[in-house]
Amino acid sequence: MATSLQQVRTGTAQTDEAPKSLMEMLTSPKTKRGIQSLAGTFLTPERFLRLAVNAISKTPKLLECEPNSVIGALMTAAALGLEPNTVQQQAFLIPYKKSKKVRGQWVEAYECQFQIGYRGFITLAHRSSHIDKIEAEAIHENDTFEHMQGTESFLKYKKALTNRGPLIGAFCYVRLTNGNEMTLVLPLDDIEKIKGKSETLTSLTRAVDEAKDDYSRAKAQKKLDETPWVLWEDDMAAKSVIKKMAKFLPLTPGEAFSSAAQLDADSESGNVIDLSAMADVDKTKAIMSGEEDICAIEHSGGEEEEPPVSMNETETARETAPAREQAAYTARSATRHRTPPQNDVNGGFGGLD
């Protein structure tokens, strides 16, 4: 029988046999030792274990994920010192439903992916010994925004408080501890390209397009409307430019802020991180220190996988409604009709006004 959440909280879980379920793995001595060695200044192992249990309680679909992928996501969060699935919105453990071919047969399976929120990136940047100040914002048509690069570089930004107009770009400004300043501006076209790499957005948009009836289309559209790129477009645009900026900052190899940009599942490159590999503590440490490259999921044996269908905390957006619900819905319906970083590393610019 799977270990209950109460057993995890009270420490009464049985660990005298090889762990099989996610909850048994989470409370195993090996996992506890791993979290102990990874969690440091910003999270105690005890607090992190409580956060992990809480994350699973709030997102039950994680219990259906491949256990090592969830443990790997938790190890990654612990190593970065970010709280998963809390109101702080620093990081998220997200279950994905994937269709993959196993021994010639297509099967459906859940896998956990790790995403870092806008606030998570800002938190890591402030912890960096190289960064004195960081600001990132979405730019709208009616905001005041001016910038120039070169010998007289400057950046001025003032957010309109009403009627901001459509999104036209985003910027990230960084002042390093040595006094140098850097800025990066992403026009809307670049943001749209990054947005197009989002597995969540792509799969749910496809679900809307492929819906075979009004009920399924409305259900898929509701899920699409709840995705971060729809709900928090400004935050996602700002997150995108922060991740791009991380590539150009003079940071120490293996620094958390730099590693985070590569570990985030909502990656510009579209690569999917093999979080099962991150369940190995030594592997996680090697990746965080920069000694090893990030693990991407490899497709072995020529067996292709379909693009993953992202999941919220409920069923997949492709799921067909039961006949009774379909009939009820039909009856109701019948009654109503990147540019390079613009920086001056050896000089300054006017800063933010």
Side-chain angles (χ1 to χ4, degrees):
M1 181 180 296
T3 306
S4 70
L5 295 177
Q6 182 62 29
Q7 286 177 301
V8 176
R9 294 190 180 98
T10 58
T12 59
Q14 298 297 317
T15 58
D16 55 349
E17 59 182 26
K20 296 179 181 179
S21 72
L22 172 59
M23 299 311 299
E24 289 171 332
M25 291 182 68
L26 183 61
T27 56
S28 71
K30 180 180 178 180
T31 301
K32 289 182 177 179
R33 287 193 299 268
I35 293 175
Q36 176 79 46
S37 65
L38 291 171
T41 305
F42 306 104
L43 284 172
T44 65
E46 293 74 21
R47 173 167 171 73
F48 191 82
L49 182 59
R50 289 196 299 271
L51 289 172
V53 172
N54 197 42
I56 295 169
S57 298
K58 291 180 177 179
T59 313
K61 282 291 180 184
L62 289 171
L63 289 169
E64 299 181 38
C65 291
E66 196 282 316
N68 273 328
S69 71
V70 181
I71 297 299
L74 289 169
M75 293 294 188
T76 303
L80 292 172
L82 297 178
E83 299 185 357
N85 294 35
T86 67
V87 295
Q88 300 299 323
Q89 298 183 5
Q90 294 181 344
F92 306 93
L93 309 184
I94 302 178
Y96 282 89
K97 189 173 186 179
K98 299 175 69 71
S99 295
K100 58 183 180 181
K101 189 177 289 186
V102 179
R103 298 174 183 173
Q105 298 293 322
W106 286 100
V107 298
E108 293 184 337
Y110 286 95
E111 192 171 89
C112 179
Q113 281 295 306
F114 179 69
Q115 289 189 10
I116 303 172
Y118 163 75
R119 296 179 186 178
F121 277 107
I122 293 294
T123 297
L124 294 176
H126 282 299
R127 291 176 186 171
S128 171
S129 60
H130 299 276
I131 298 174
D132 180 54
K133 181 179 182 179
I134 183 169
E135 294 186 14
E137 291 280 355
I139 310 166
H140 286 254
E141 189 174 59
N142 296 329
D143 294 340
T144 298
F145 183 78
E146 299 177 26
H147 79 285
M148 182 180 292
Q149 65 183 105
T151 57
E152 298 180 2
S153 56
F154 67 89
L155 186 150
K156 296 182 179 181
Y157 171 73
K158 184 177 181 180
K159 182 185 295 185
L161 299 182
T162 59
N163 302 318
R164 296 183 66 197
L167 179 73
I168 61 172
F171 77 90
C172 180
Y173 163 81
V174 173
R175 183 172 67 222
L176 302 172
T177 52
N178 62 9
N180 292 337
E181 298 171 296
M182 301 177 70
T183 188
L184 175 63
V185 179
L186 283 185
L188 182 60
D189 286 350
D190 287 2
I191 293 174
E192 290 293 339
K193 290 176 183 177
I194 295 171
K195 181 178 177 179
K197 294 292 186 178
S198 169
E199 291 188 34
T200 303
L201 195 70
T202 301
S203 59
L204 290 181
T205 299
R206 185 174 61 249
V208 172
D209 294 340
E210 296 178 355
K212 300 184 183 303
D213 51 68
D214 289 344
Y215 179 90
S216 299
R217 186 173 297 105
K219 194 173 184 180
Q221 185 65 53
K222 182 177 184 297
K223 289 181 177 295
L224 179 61
D225 292 342
E226 293 172 351
T227 59
W229 273 108
V230 176
L231 284 177
W232 305 293
E233 185 180 46
D234 282 12
D235 283 355
M236 295 300 289
K239 169 184 167 178
S240 297
V241 72
I242 291 174
K243 289 177 63 177
K244 181 83 75 171
M245 174 64 93
K247 299 177 181 179
F248 303 104
L249 294 175
L251 303 177
T252 303
E255 190 163 332
F257 180 62
S258 180
S259 298
Q262 301 176 67
L263 287 164
D264 181 49
D266 194 20
S267 171
E268 174 190 352
S269 67
N271 291 332
V272 178
I273 305 303
D274 183 5
L275 288 177
S276 296
M278 301 292 284
D280 185 299
V281 177
D282 292 334
K283 185 76 170 180
T284 302
K285 289 180 177 179
I287 290 174
M288 291 298 175
S289 66
E291 296 175 3
E292 292 191 23
D293 293 331
I294 304 297
C295 308
I297 289 182
E298 298 180 358
H299 303 280
S300 59
E303 296 186 348
E304 298 179 355
E305 295 181 353
E306 292 182 342
V309 176
S310 66
M311 298 295 298
N312 291 325
E313 296 181 8
T314 54
E315 69 281 4
T316 174
R318 292 183 182 178
E319 185 180 33
T320 303
R324 182 173 61 255
E325 294 181 2
Q326 174 66 56
Y329 179 84
T330 302
R332 290 195 302 270
S333 298
T335 64
R336 65 178 185 277
H337 293 279
R338 156 178 10 151
T339 55
Q342 295 136 31
N343 58 11
D344 186 8
V345 176
N346 297 314
F349 56 79
L352 299 177
D353 290 353

